[in-house]
Amino acid sequence: DAKTTQPNSMESNEEEPVHLPCNHSTISGTDYIHWYRQLPSQGPEYVIHGLTSNVNNRMASLAIAEDRKSSTLILHRATLRDAAVYYCILDNYGQNFVFGPGTRLSVLP
Amino acid sequence: DTGVSQDPRHKITKRGQNVTFRCDPISEHNRLYWYRQTLGQGPEFLTYFQNEAQLEKSRLLSDRFSAERPKGSFSTLEIQRTEQGDSAMYLCASSFNKQYNEQFFGPGTRLTVL
């Protein structure tokens, strides 16, 4: 079973920030938090990952709660190309990923 | 292109036939994963290799499914006696064995069993 829970769907307007939440209340101390996204008709692609501290990269930011039981993926300015299914995944030392159904993000022009 | 490649991209077969899919990972990656994805669901793990060793298999991987990675490079996934329930997208991913596990996914092979 997936160890994370996410909303089924979210909507955003183009060029506005998007905050995608993920709950992972059973996270262990060594679990990394990964975010992947899947564009239509493509395989998933890596977005960002973190362990304890907030992380930034060119695609997004990851905000991790102090107790690590939840995290939020932040897209600073959504574009139409960001419309995808976003998956939050826990990973412990490179074991297989357990994907949930993810959050389907729609971006409105 | 140095990403993960999969062949074929699409396969249509009749029930009862055997099919084989190929995955070529990123060259320096020693881990290779197979996932299956049905419509509206996230990918489900099937099996993974570290080099040529198959280290884990999901209970989803029935005895009709077999995967190999003979020289620790490309991998094949064979499905024998296909059933309509095998219709899905089969995804391959590879990663470099390190503490955090960024997996790079291929475009997938879409299987349709008639």
Side-chain angles (χ1 to χ4, degrees):
Chain A
D1 291 343
K3 298 179 284 187
T4 63
T5 55
Q6 301 175 250
N8 289 335
S9 62
M10 291 185 65
E11 249 182 27
S12 172
N13 293 319
E14 197 175 9
E15 299 191 2
E16 290 187 355
V18 182
H19 291 234
L20 298 166
C22 180
N23 288 319
H24 29 77
S25 57
T26 59
I27 191 170
S28 73
T30 51
D31 280 338
Y32 281 83
I33 301 161
H34 286 251
W35 283 82
Y36 279 69
R37 72 180 185 181
Q38 189 170 21
L39 302 170
S41 301
Q42 295 187 25
E45 65 175 351
Y46 169 82
V47 177
I48 199 166
H49 77 278
L51 184 61
T52 56
S53 304
N54 294 345
V55 183
N56 299 298
N57 67 19
R58 63 176 178 82
M59 290 180 70
S61 296
L62 176 59
I64 301 173
E66 196 169 334
D67 63 5
R68 300 208 327 125
K69 293 185 177 181
S70 65
S71 61
T72 302
L73 179 70
I74 302 164
L75 307 178
H76 295 287
R77 290 178 72 239
T79 68
L80 296 178
R81 195 191 172 279
D82 292 322
V85 179
Y86 286 79
Y87 299 101
C88 168
I89 303 161
L90 300 183
D91 177 49
N92 192 330
Y93 289 101
Q95 301 304 309
N96 68 82
F97 285 166
V98 178
F99 286 83
T103 296
R104 181 172 299 278
L105 175 66
S106 301
V107 180
L108 305 177
Chain B
D1 191 333
T2 57
V4 177
S5 62
Q6 293 187 245
D7 184 68
R9 293 292 308 277
H10 303 273
K11 178 69 177 180
I12 299 174
T13 191
K14 293 182 179 179
R15 190 174 52 188
Q17 298 295 305
N18 299 342
V19 294
T20 300
F21 309 141
R22 177 181 171 121
C23 171
D24 286 90
I26 294 172
S27 59
E28 64 267 27
H29 286 183
N30 56 1
R31 287 194 173 189
L32 187 147
Y33 303 79
W34 285 99
Y35 293 85
R36 180 175 70 186
Q37 185 173 28
T38 53
L39 200 61
Q41 302 298 314
E44 297 174 294
F45 169 76
L46 293 178
T47 188
Y48 94 91
F49 294 82
Q50 182 158 314
N51 300 313
E52 63 274 11
Q54 188 172 18
L55 296 188
E56 188 174 348
K57 292 195 293 186
S58 163
R59 64 181 184 278
L60 294 174
L61 210 68
S62 76
D63 57 4
R64 295 186 298 106
F65 288 69
S66 63
E68 292 183 342
R69 194 183 183 197
K71 297 182 180 179
S73 56
F74 73 92
S75 175
T76 58
L77 177 69
E78 181 183 16
I79 309 173
Q80 296 182 329
R81 306 181 302 283
T82 53
E83 302 172 355
Q84 287 185 326
D86 297 331
S87 296
M89 176 75 83
Y90 289 84
L91 292 161
C92 175
S94 69
S95 73
F96 190 73
N97 184 14
K98 53 187 176 183
Q99 187 173 12
Y100 62 91
N101 180 28
E102 181 181 345
Q103 294 186 19
F104 293 79
F105 284 80
T109 294
R110 180 167 295 284
L111 173 66
T112 302
V113 182
L114 302 177

